[in-house]
Amino acid sequence: MSEETPKLVTLTVDGRPVQVAPGTMIIQAGEQLGIEIPYYCYHPGLPIEGVCRMCLVEVEKAPKLLIACATPVTEGMVVHTQTPHVEEARRGVLEFYLLNHPLDCPICDKGGECPLQDYTLRYGPGASRTLEDKIHRDKHRVIGPHIVFDAERCILCTRCVRFCRDIVGTGELGVGYRADRAEIILFPGKELDNAYSGNVIDLCPVGALTSKPYRFTSRPWDLVKQVESTCPACSRGCSIVLDVRHLREGGEEVLRVRPRHNPEVNGYWMCDEGRFDAYPRRGQTALKGPLVRRGEAQVPVTWDEAISILVERLRGILDQHGPQAIGGLLSTWLTTEELYATGSFLRQVIETPHLDYRVSPVQTQERDEAEDHLLRRTDKSPNTQTAKLMNLGPGPEGLGTRAMLEAATTGSLKALLLFEVDPWEEPTLGEELEKFMDRIDLLAIWAVRESPVTSRAHLVFPALGYAEKEGTIINFGGRIQRLRRAIDSKEKIVPVGEVLRQVAVGLGRPVIPLTPGEIWQRLAEEHPAFNGIQYEAIGSLGVPIHDDR
Amino acid sequence: MTSAKLQQASAEILKRYPQNQKRSALLPLLFLAQEERGYLSPESLEEIAHLLEMRPTDVWETASFYTMFHFRPMGRCHIEVCHNLSCTLLGAESLLDVLKGRLQIREGETTPDGRFSLGTAECLAACDGAPVVQVNGYHYGPLNRSQLEELLEGFARGELPERYRYQPWAGPPSRGPEPVNTFERILHQHLLDPSYDGRIEAYLERGGYQALPKAVREYRPSEIIEMVKRSGLRGRGGAGFPTGVKWGFVPKDPGIPKYLLCNADEGEPGTFKDRELLERDPHQVLEGIIIASYAIGSETSYIYLRGEFLEAVAILERALQEAYAHGFLGKKILGSDFNLDVYLHRGAGAYICGEETALIESLEGKRGEPRIRPPFPAVKGLYQCPTVVNNVETLCNIPHIIVRGPKWFASMGTPKSTGTRVFSVSGHVRRPGNYELPLNATLRQLIYEHAGGILDDRRIKAIIPGGSSAPTLTADHLDVGLDFESLAAAGSMGGSGAVIVLDETTCMVKVGEVINRFYHHESCGQCTQCREGTAWLHKILKRIEDGRGQMADLEVLKDVCRNMKGQTICVLSDSAAMPTESYMHYFREEFEAHIQQGRCPFRA
Ligand SMILES: Cc1cc2nc3c(=O)[nH]c(=O)nc-3n(C[C@H](O)[C@H](O)[C@H](O)COP(=O)(O)O)c2cc1C
Ligand code: SF4
Ligand code: SF4
Ligand code: SF4
């Protein structure tokens, strides 16, 4: 090794020795040992402020208690986190916080997952001793498109201020006034409106900053489960947690999307689009079942019927015109496994060279670039990287998207399969589609929601939403991460891979692999980028693709 | 203020600060905009934000921290009654009653015709003129009810009469005999002469600016630091830290800028000594600043002047001009290689800005929030550069140490507390005022020989010896020495050198209420214990004073004090808790009497 590893510092916390890098703060050393040192203002992703004074610990030879968040370790340091002095200080801080706290936990969004509530139970005073009136402040101030502020609950930890100032750089929030008149402020007439504003909801250790949509819709303890997944709303692929709850009327829904710490991808944060828009838009399929066009009308059919219709139509075209008359477009919305299944279907089952991937929704910018200094990418789909790695463009004799549409217009392309591609998202494509829409023999589409294409296609297959399926996506930097199924779809949805497998069987063609394990084994064999990667080994933080460079 | 005017002014102001530190011009620009329009509108704030390339939020959060900025129109005559300890002891509440009655408004209100607005102020550093009233920034006092009524007539006519204006060292001599002058005065030597006007000629005539040439010609900076170390001089701002040692912490690297900051924010209740030194002998301060800057290698120095010291602004500006004109400031001072610019920077109403790291933040155009140490300012202070903050009085000692030598200085006072100290005496004494005594003198000498003893020869109940942050002592402590060690051994501290004397008629619960009202008002609000604790102490004490106390309150008070001590970023929190504990320690029966009788036994 050429780089010198810095000498570690040894200290003891509550009698247990631990070695950490120089410059580590006591609070992190404690964490390494699994020793809880309570805190409010500290956050590993933010600059240290040291104001809540909750993390005070006793350090031998120091004349006073020291704050664990801002006291760097030294060799031989002896730290105690459970002494009567420390416990008394914690009790004191909590008693001070509660003096003016409204204690409206039963109606607070944070109730059940609130560090103020939790620490009060664990370390706090038994009963309130104050006889003074509480200070009244604004309880419900809408401070931005997503955020509601309750000034009475705020404990002035300044996390939200530091996030906007130091992480996003927009600095909408500040601390105004002083002493116990101090309050979180915005400039008169201004809003908390930046691309990452939702993070203040997670950062706020109390229920002072809450989400406009989430507020009052659920009590945190109604949440039935948390599912670790990956945000599909741009090529960053932030690690996320989906909070899912049971609906009284049956079924489940994604109630909240929160970032999950992943140092390789998103740190502690995610953007508002991923948090607030992605799942409502594409989390669950809005289509109820397959549709077949009969004359001018579309009629619902069963999955089996839809599949046999597709087999029949494809066989007809194959028999009459050969595989060259069939083309397919794959969206980068698809997971790696779906891309593999659809790509293999076109290439190995149909044996057509006419396939192409579409970055959808279509990018306003040519290239996938950083949209700001933090996370957002200009490619608003999750899996372009995979489509590129798998070469899902037209082969040498194949037609690309434009050429395929032209061929459909002139009549040489008889069937077009659209896998979550919606040409109506790309105006010029839509216009071209218009030209052959009524002439083409077969237009089949997989989609999560209705569009001008679904309403006119010969066959419509509902596709699974992001919350409804398992799979992987590969972000712009080549990190493979997993999407996890969080909820069961309301209607019976046959995954696209399974549909295509049955179609292959129906056509008497080679069967394409179905399980992720099989698909990844094939991928590893077929593409150098996937060399040595096993599906099971993709942990919660993902793994990088194989990089030969 | 028109944009063009503000822009022009800002260009001038920005010259005082490094080019990449525009934000430092924030408080000066806020003052300008407010002067023009009477208050700061969101439009003004936004314009200033634009000029300084700041976010409007940052301007707003900073502006709202300081009490001298107003965000709505105030009366044309804005009257604020000081209700801190010394003024309350001598009748501030009755002055406030007069004003409420005459103007028919309450605190915080403006008369319907917009002529008057009324408020209260915290200690204005004019306690020898107590009770004091601040009117459009000018200080009047001592005032009684009829004098105030007389003044009101002038105010109503739109005048700001000269009569009854507070002047440092102008307390009425009728209050007691002239002090016995048994000690040599060092810092006050010029002030004994009533004709001394503080101009540079007068200062030069009396031997001023002899230390500076000696310092820059005969000594290297490190030798000056050594001399100050040997003199034993300790900071006069509150903490009593050895000045030479502090200077020695500054890295010697010539590549990084260093800053000397003169702490002229004097805000510790009961303290008014720096104000007198600044207003009456400004060149003595400047000479100290220049030599200190030379010693630590600072080429830019700021005097952080308390915002309420309106009259000192012109005095100091003039003194600076005089010093530049005489070649004591500027480039190549007295033919040496030493360059120095000194600028005046006004605070805007925040006691906490006297704390050195809050002062630095404030000078950077931010909220006056103390910083976590380490790093200490000597390593990372103003603009993250090595910085020394020294009190006005500390710096005044420097020229004398250079001229007369460290040995001479160390021969005064006690071995650990050398030299003299200026004590601000106020409260129930006959001759309140500033008295310079060697540090081996006693409280008794200060109070009886110099401050003329107690009004009406009443008995002493309590002596607060180091500003309101110091735990109280009692009449039993009269023979305690004024040095840092003796006061600490007696359970209190030297603090800011303010000695507030309370006679037997004083209610200690009221004293507790008043000082905690102050800390509640002044806490910067960062630390939980201080933000919440100061307010809680204030509220409990007010309730007890108002006759609504309960026995359990005494236990709560004790716990609150304990939980406020030793746990926060700066010691303001301790400064509220320690004196409160001491009042309960020495005068517990007074607290109990309030609770048992359901009223204040000291009120008629
Ligand atoms: C709350 C608080 C207020 C203070 N106010 C003042 C002040 O008004 N003037 C002052 O010189 N020092 C004040 N100090 C002390 C300064 O922090 C600092 O110690 C001093 O200016 C250093 O100068 P010195 O070493 O010359 O005393 C204050 C300290 C605290 C904690
Ligand atoms: S709103 Fe929440 S995050 Fe912001 S300062 Fe208050 S408690 Fe902290
Ligand atoms: S930056 Fe991209 S991946 Fe991350 S939350 Fe936003 S849209 Fe999702
Ligand atoms: S102790 Fe009080 S004044 Fe000092 S930093 Fe903390 S809150 Fe501010």
Side-chain angles (χ1 to χ4, degrees):
Chain A
M1 260 204 292
S2 59
E3 251 181 76
E4 235 180 276
T5 35
K7 248 188 101 206
L8 294 181
V9 175
T10 308
L11 68 154
T12 69
V13 185
D14 294 344
R16 292 164 59 192
V18 61
Q19 286 201 320
V20 292
T24 304
M25 299 296 166
I26 292 175
I27 210 163
Q28 293 151 340
E31 202 162 272
Q32 199 167 313
L33 285 168
I35 293 172
E36 179 185 83
I37 300 173
Y39 58 81
Y40 292 108
C41 72
Y42 170 76
H43 187 283
L46 297 175
I48 290 172
E49 192 88 343
V51 293
C52 75
R53 320 304 291 178
M54 184 66 188
C55 68
L56 289 165
V57 293
E58 213 168 302
V59 176
E60 284 188 11
K61 297 202 184 87
K64 296 178 179 181
L65 299 180
L66 298 176
I67 45 173
C69 70
T71 307
V73 297
T74 55
E75 185 60 41
M77 185 183 248
V78 183
V79 181
H80 302 284
T81 75
Q82 320 272 353
T83 66
H85 195 181
V86 169
E87 278 162 10
E88 190 190 7
R90 285 176 189 164
R91 216 166 23 248
V93 171
L94 288 164
E95 183 169 39
F96 286 133
Y97 272 140
L98 298 177
L99 287 177
N100 286 302
H101 200 80
L103 293 178
D104 47 5
C105 309
I107 54 152
C108 177
D109 280 0
K110 206 82 180 184
E113 53 175 18
C114 170
L116 185 59
Q117 213 177 27
D118 293 350
Y119 290 158
T120 300
L121 287 175
R122 243 173 295 169
Y123 310 112
S128 167
R129 298 192 290 174
T130 180
L131 301 173
E132 320 310 325
D133 295 335
K134 288 183 193 273
I135 300 176
H136 288 294
R137 306 176 198 264
D138 275 6
K139 287 287 297 167
H140 185 101
R141 200 188 310 155
V142 177
I143 59 169
H146 302 297
I147 312 289
V148 181
F149 175 52
D150 182 331
E152 288 188 349
R153 291 181 190 153
C154 171
I155 59 168
L156 286 167
C157 71
T158 76
R159 280 183 180 187
C160 55
V161 176
R162 282 174 282 153
F163 175 75
C164 294
R165 194 184 52 206
D166 301 315
I167 306 300
V168 189
T170 43
E172 293 93 338
L173 300 178
V175 180
Y177 313 98
R178 68 185 193 214
D180 68 346
R181 279 114 36 226
E183 212 171 282
I184 296 300
I185 51 112
L186 287 120
F187 193 82
K190 296 262 193 303
E191 288 199 319
L192 172 55
D193 188 6
N194 64 53
Y196 298 91
S197 69
N199 290 291
V200 301
I201 301 164
D202 315 321
L203 281 172
C204 183
V206 291
L209 291 169
T210 51
S211 151
K212 249 164 71 175
Y214 179 70
R215 215 175 131 87
F216 300 132
T217 54
S218 156
R219 306 287 306 138
W221 45 76
D222 293 343
L223 299 177
V224 287
K225 59 181 175 191
Q226 272 104 43
V227 180
E228 295 191 341
S229 193
T230 305
C231 174
C234 86
S235 69
R236 167 76 56 179
C238 294
S239 295
I240 55 171
V241 177
L242 304 174
D243 290 332
V244 175
R245 73 160 176 180
H246 270 300
L247 296 173
R248 221 165 273 139
E249 60 274 21
E252 292 171 320
E253 74 178 11
V254 173
L255 193 69
R256 268 197 314 193
V257 181
R258 290 179 289 140
R260 177 161 68 79
H261 181 219
N262 188 342
E264 300 299 329
V265 179
N266 55 313
Y268 296 91
W269 325 119
M270 74 183 297
C271 79
D272 285 359
E273 218 175 311
R275 180 191 300 263
F276 297 116
D277 299 343
Y279 279 83
R281 221 182 274 157
R282 297 189 69 90
Q284 281 174 278
T285 190
L287 303 181
K288 294 195 159 47
L291 299 170
V292 172
R293 196 161 94 194
R294 302 245 158 92
E296 277 309 294
Q298 277 181 327
V299 293
V301 287
T302 66
W303 283 91
D304 287 344
E305 283 169 326
I307 289 168
S308 24
I309 294 169
L310 182 56
V311 170
E312 248 166 68
R313 300 269 178 100
L314 283 173
R315 186 181 296 131
I317 295 166
L318 279 168
D319 289 350
Q320 231 184 317
H321 308 282
Q324 297 277 349
I326 300 172
L329 294 179
L330 326 175
S331 162
T332 51
W333 284 117
L334 300 175
T335 64
T336 303
E337 295 71 19
E338 288 166 339
L339 282 173
Y340 187 84
T342 50
S344 307
F345 178 77
L346 290 165
R347 277 185 178 146
Q348 286 147 35
V349 176
I350 304 293
E351 294 182 321
T352 174
H354 309 319
L355 80 165
D356 202 357
Y357 67 86
R358 301 299 302 162
V359 178
S360 40
V362 79
Q363 267 178 261
T364 45
Q365 252 153 303
E366 272 290 296
R367 293 188 309 140
D368 179 18
E369 285 171 347
E371 198 164 328
D372 53 39
H373 68 287
L374 209 51
L375 299 173
R376 295 185 308 148
R377 307 283 306 178
T378 54
D379 180 352
K380 297 298 176 195
S381 70
N383 214 12
T384 307
Q385 191 69 16
T386 307
K388 281 187 193 157
L389 287 168
M390 286 172 36
N391 276 323
L392 291 176
E397 317 98 71
L399 302 176
T401 308
R402 294 274 156 196
M404 262 187 261
L405 298 180
E406 218 159 278
T409 315
T410 58
S412 59
L413 196 81
K414 303 292 179 195
L416 187 59
L417 309 180
L418 299 175
F419 295 102
E420 296 198 35
V421 169
D422 182 352
W424 285 92
E425 285 189 350
E426 303 173 62
T428 56
L429 274 191
E431 280 160 30
E432 291 198 41
L433 204 70
E434 200 65 50
K435 294 188 206 150
F436 62 80
M437 202 70 149
D438 297 322
R439 279 207 282 139
I440 194 161
D441 289 354
L442 173 63
L443 181 64
I445 182 164
W446 276 256
V448 293
R449 43 150 102 217
E450 276 179 29
S451 77
V453 195
T454 59
S455 61
R456 293 163 72 185
H458 300 103
L459 269 171
V460 178
F461 291 94
L464 287 167
Y466 280 114
E468 299 168 328
K469 64 186 175 188
E470 292 279 329
T472 55
I473 51 182
I474 304 181
N475 85 347
F476 74 99
R479 197 165 191 84
I480 309 166
Q481 296 182 88
R482 290 191 58 175
L483 286 171
R484 310 304 296 259
R485 180 170 45 243
I487 53 183
D488 292 328
S489 29
K490 286 197 198 85
E491 315 291 336
K492 178 191 166 208
I493 307 286
V494 181
V496 61
E498 171 64 21
V499 171
L500 298 181
R501 198 186 65 92
Q502 291 185 25
V503 173
V505 170
L507 289 172
R509 298 291 176 111
V511 174
I512 47 177
L514 198 59
T515 69
E518 288 167 329
I519 291 177
W520 278 86
Q521 206 173 335
R522 292 278 192 94
L523 277 173
E525 287 159 15
E526 294 168 18
H527 301 278
F530 301 108
N531 245 331
I533 292 165
Q534 285 179 324
Y535 180 71
E536 293 72 26
I538 305 169
S540 63
L541 301 183
V543 295
I545 53 170
H546 185 78
D547 193 349
D548 271 334
R549 280 161 301 163
Chain B
M1 173 164 263
T2 65
S3 303
K5 250 172 107 182
L6 196 64
Q7 208 159 342
Q8 214 175 359
S10 78
E12 218 28 63
I13 290 168
L14 280 167
K15 289 184 189 155
R16 301 174 201 161
Y17 310 100
Q19 251 169 17
N20 56 348
Q21 301 293 348
K22 287 192 170 180
R23 188 170 176 166
S24 276
L26 180 55
L27 298 193
L29 286 186
L30 289 170
F31 271 124
L32 269 181
Q34 175 162 287
E35 254 161 53
E36 192 83 4
R37 304 199 42 189
Y39 73 104
L40 292 166
S41 64
E43 292 73 35
S44 305
L45 296 173
E46 250 181 320
E47 198 180 337
I48 292 172
H50 182 71
L51 275 175
L52 300 181
E53 294 161 32
M54 288 174 64
R55 290 187 205 104
T57 306
D58 295 346
V59 171
W60 176 222
E61 71 164 13
T62 304
S64 67
F65 184 85
Y66 297 95
T67 51
M68 287 176 74
F69 296 128
H70 306 295
F71 307 101
R72 56 189 169 86
M74 305 304 281
R76 285 191 294 283
C77 177
H78 183 47
I79 307 181
E80 293 157 285
V81 179
C82 170
H83 65 170
N84 209 295
L85 188 49
S86 302
C87 287
T88 297
L89 292 174
L90 295 169
E93 284 179 350
S94 109
L95 295 188
L96 194 57
D97 286 343
V98 168
L99 292 167
K100 284 180 184 163
R102 285 301 214 86
L103 303 175
Q104 288 296 305
I105 50 175
R106 284 173 304 186
E107 295 169 54
E109 291 180 347
T110 304
T111 53
D113 60 8
R115 279 207 296 182
F116 288 97
S117 49
L118 183 59
T120 49
E122 293 303 348
C123 183
L124 294 166
C127 319
D128 51 343
V132 183
V133 170
Q134 177 171 261
V135 183
N136 289 1
Y138 293 93
H139 297 172
Y140 289 89
L143 292 178
N144 60 31
R145 295 172 71 110
S146 60
Q147 288 163 334
L148 179 60
E149 302 216 11
E150 182 189 329
L151 279 172
L152 261 182
E153 285 167 25
F155 299 152
R157 288 191 298 270
E159 297 163 10
L160 286 174
E162 289 290 333
R163 196 153 183 221
Y164 306 127
R165 283 271 181 94
Y166 167 76
Q167 301 276 321
W169 202 256
S174 59
R175 277 198 193 168
E178 282 294 316
V180 202
N181 215 353
T182 45
F183 306 111
E184 182 190 353
R185 300 195 175 171
I186 315 297
L187 308 186
H188 274 183
Q189 57 186 266
H190 304 148
L191 307 188
L192 296 175
D193 176 355
S195 73
Y196 185 73
D197 64 3
R199 303 293 297 261
I200 198 160
E201 293 78 16
Y203 185 64
L204 285 166
E205 238 169 63
R206 288 164 177 79
Y209 285 116
Q210 281 180 8
L212 178 60
K214 199 168 171 200
V216 300
R217 291 187 187 137
E218 294 174 28
Y219 300 107
R220 284 193 300 261
S222 59
E223 290 171 324
I224 306 266
I225 297 180
E226 216 29 59
M227 282 167 84
V228 174
K229 276 187 190 163
R230 274 188 285 133
S231 76
L233 172 64
R234 290 170 65 175
R236 306 298 194 230
F241 194 82
T243 307
V245 176
K246 192 193 303 194
W247 294 3
F249 290 150
V250 175
K252 304 282 175 288
D253 182 354
I256 21 173
K258 299 163 193 77
Y259 294 98
L260 180 95
L261 308 181
C262 170
N263 189 342
D265 195 46
E266 189 164 59
E268 178 67 25
T271 321
F272 45 95
K273 61 177 179 88
D274 294 341
R275 176 184 190 150
E276 185 179 24
L277 291 168
L278 288 162
E279 290 188 13
R280 297 193 59 208
D281 206 357
H283 284 287
Q284 179 174 244
V285 186
L286 284 188
E287 194 174 4
I289 291 174
I290 302 170
I291 298 170
S293 298
Y294 174 70
I296 66 157
S298 161
E299 298 203 335
T300 312
S301 169
Y302 297 95
I303 302 172
Y304 187 97
L305 181 70
R306 181 164 175 190
E308 290 88 346
F309 290 175
L310 200 57
E311 274 142 327
V313 175
I315 295 170
L316 287 167
E317 293 287 10
R318 191 181 61 199
L320 284 170
Q321 277 173 18
E322 290 171 342
Y324 273 102
H326 279 75
F328 300 137
L329 281 175
K331 296 259 174 282
K332 300 212 167 293
I333 292 168
L334 299 174
S336 70
D337 280 338
F338 168 49
N339 308 320
L340 176 67
D341 287 309
V342 177
Y343 301 105
L344 196 59
H345 185 101
R346 284 179 74 196
Y351 162 69
I352 192 60
C353 290
E355 194 281 336
E356 57 183 7
T357 58
L359 184 152
I360 289 168
E361 288 280 306
S362 178
L363 189 41
E364 291 182 357
K366 300 176 185 153
R367 297 164 59 78
E369 292 173 345
R371 294 180 181 170
I372 295 180
R373 276 147 292 204
F376 287 90
V379 181
K380 275 193 178 148
L382 184 64
Y383 312 132
Q384 296 298 309
C385 295
T387 301
V388 166
V389 182
N390 271 135
N391 170 258
V392 168
E393 185 188 345
T394 311
L395 291 166
C396 287
N397 280 291
I398 304 299
H400 303 284
I401 293 173
I402 301 298
V403 171
R404 296 171 74 174
K407 237 179 158 169
W408 157 81
F409 190 87
S411 73
M412 295 182 292
T414 68
K416 285 188 172 167
S417 297
T418 58
T420 66
R421 191 162 192 192
V422 181
F423 295 96
S424 299
V425 188
S426 67
H428 293 134
V429 291
R430 284 205 183 86
R431 275 192 64 90
N434 288 319
Y435 299 96
E436 184 185 8
L437 269 66
L439 276 161
N440 57 344
T442 63
L443 279 168
R444 186 185 299 281
Q445 282 173 304
L446 178 66
I447 294 167
Y448 284 97
E449 289 172 20
H450 293 263
I454 309 305
L455 281 173
D456 300 333
D457 284 326
R458 287 193 293 259
R459 279 190 308 186
I460 290 180
K461 174 181 277 184
I463 306 167
I464 298 173
S468 71
S469 305
T472 190
L473 299 175
T474 65
D476 296 342
H477 296 100
L478 272 170
D479 293 311
V480 169
L482 290 163
D483 58 299
F484 292 103
E485 286 68 31
S486 301
L487 288 169
S492 187
M493 62 187 202
S496 69
V499 177
I500 309 169
V501 182
L502 313 176
D503 73 19
E504 56 192 331
T505 65
T506 315
C507 167
M508 291 309 290
V509 176
K510 180 76 189 174
V511 174
E513 180 201 331
V514 170
I515 72 147
N516 280 295
R517 178 173 63 200
F518 170 73
Y519 294 111
H520 174 195
H521 188 249
E522 300 298 333
S523 163
C524 86
Q526 285 188 98
C527 315
T528 310
Q529 291 91 329
C530 177
R531 177 181 67 240
E532 305 297 334
T534 51
W536 203 6
L537 289 183
H538 172 208
K539 288 177 186 172
I540 298 174
L541 287 162
K542 174 160 176 30
R543 198 162 37 73
I544 299 176
E545 172 65 7
D546 290 348
R548 292 179 293 115
Q550 305 187 353
M551 273 311 181
D553 287 331
L554 300 182
E555 204 52 39
V556 175
L557 278 174
K558 250 175 68 187
D559 288 351
V560 174
C561 288
R562 194 172 52 240
N563 286 331
M564 287 174 72
K565 286 192 303 179
Q567 301 188 8
T568 49
I569 294 177
C570 85
V571 295
L572 187 141
S573 189
D574 305 63
S575 299
M578 289 186 321
T580 307
E581 279 180 328
S582 74
Y583 304 166
M584 291 202 293
H585 171 74
Y586 286 115
F587 306 101
R588 190 178 168 98
E589 67 291 347
E590 280 187 30
F591 287 76
E592 287 170 356
H594 277 75
I595 295 165
Q596 281 154 359
Q597 297 172 25
R599 63 180 201 96
C600 172
F602 292 87
R603 281 196 215 172

